[in-house]
């Protein structure tokens, strides 16, 4: 049993490190910012929870597919210019990361639809987990570059300020 836990922890740690060193981090953060902006926009006059969740998923797909299409055109242009291009699986992985970044808050609205949490709670969780995710990725990215804890916290704080500014701006105009 302990050996299984150690193997699982090693697998999880290796997977996390691989993810953090990939281009997917930037795509998840990008998607999270889009998702956060969408949540903030819908909060002013919220449709029913199922529609919020569907809007987040549909927007995630639309933004992700736009990302995929533009990357494929870029790959063709670079290949046509004689440059070496990376494997298609990387582009697809990046696309999935954008989709998940945008659509992740839908989880809270599905929970609200199921009666597990209130709609206001779903909006609060969607906003603050988005801010937390953006800050956490910024902290981890700084740590991977060798920055100390203090400098990494400054990086995370700077990124979180952007998300908090979106939230504050929305609160001021409504």
């Amino acid at each position: 049993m302990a050996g299984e836990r150690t193997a699982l922890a090693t697998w999880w740690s290796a997977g996390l490190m691989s993810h953090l060193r990939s281009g997917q981090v930037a795509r998840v953060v990008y998607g999270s910012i889009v998702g956060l902006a969408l949540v903030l926009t819908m909060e002013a006059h919220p449709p029913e929870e199922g529609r919020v969740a569907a809007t987040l998923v549909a927007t995630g797909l639309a933004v992700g597919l736009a990302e995929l299409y533009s990357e494929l055109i870029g790959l063709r242009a670079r290949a046509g210019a004689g440059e070496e291009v990376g494997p298609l699986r990387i582009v697809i992985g990046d696309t999935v990361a954008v989709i998940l970044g945008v659509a992740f808050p839908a989880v809270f609205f599905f929970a609200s639809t199921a009666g597990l949490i209130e709609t206001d709670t779903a909006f609060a969780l969607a906003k603050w987990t988005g801010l937390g995710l953006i800050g956490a990725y910024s902290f981890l990215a700084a740590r991977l570059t060798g920055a100390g804890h203090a400098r990494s916290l400054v990086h995370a704080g700077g990124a979180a300020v952007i998300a908090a500014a979106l939230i504050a701006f929305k609160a001021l105009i409504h």
Side-chain angles (χ1 to χ4, degrees):
M1 185 77 152
E4 289 177 14
R5 279 192 216 140
T6 303
L8 180 61
T10 301
W11 172 80
W12 176 255
S13 178
L16 179 62
M17 291 306 291
S18 175
H19 169 68
L20 290 172
R21 288 190 170 106
S22 74
Q24 293 174 355
V25 170
R27 300 309 201 277
V28 171
V29 170
Y30 167 72
S32 295
I33 293 168
V34 171
L36 177 60
L38 188 56
V39 165
L40 293 172
T41 301
M42 287 189 285
E43 187 178 29
H45 303 286
E48 52 191 61
E49 299 91 339
R51 288 182 191 252
V52 175
T55 299
L56 287 161
V57 170
T59 302
L61 288 169
V63 172
L65 292 174
E67 174 93 5
L68 176 63
Y69 183 70
S70 64
E71 286 296 323
L72 291 175
I73 290 185
L75 285 175
R76 283 189 177 177
R78 288 190 297 277
E83 290 184 33
E84 192 169 318
V85 295
L88 184 58
R89 68 178 169 73
I90 292 174
V91 174
I92 292 172
D94 288 350
T95 299
V96 170
V98 170
I99 293 168
L100 292 175
V102 175
F104 174 75
V107 169
F108 303 117
F109 297 98
F110 285 128
S112 182
T113 299
L116 300 173
I117 59 175
E118 297 292 324
T119 304
D120 290 343
T121 304
F123 274 105
L125 287 170
K127 288 187 295 193
W128 297 110
T129 58
L131 184 142
L133 180 82
I134 292 163
Y137 267 124
S138 298
F139 176 83
L140 293 170
R143 291 291 294 145
L144 284 173
T145 65
H149 284 90
R151 179 174 259 182
S152 297
L153 285 171
V154 169
H155 283 274
V161 163
I162 295 168
L166 277 173
I167 294 168
F169 179 72
K170 184 267 175 191
L172 289 174
I173 61 172
H174 284 98

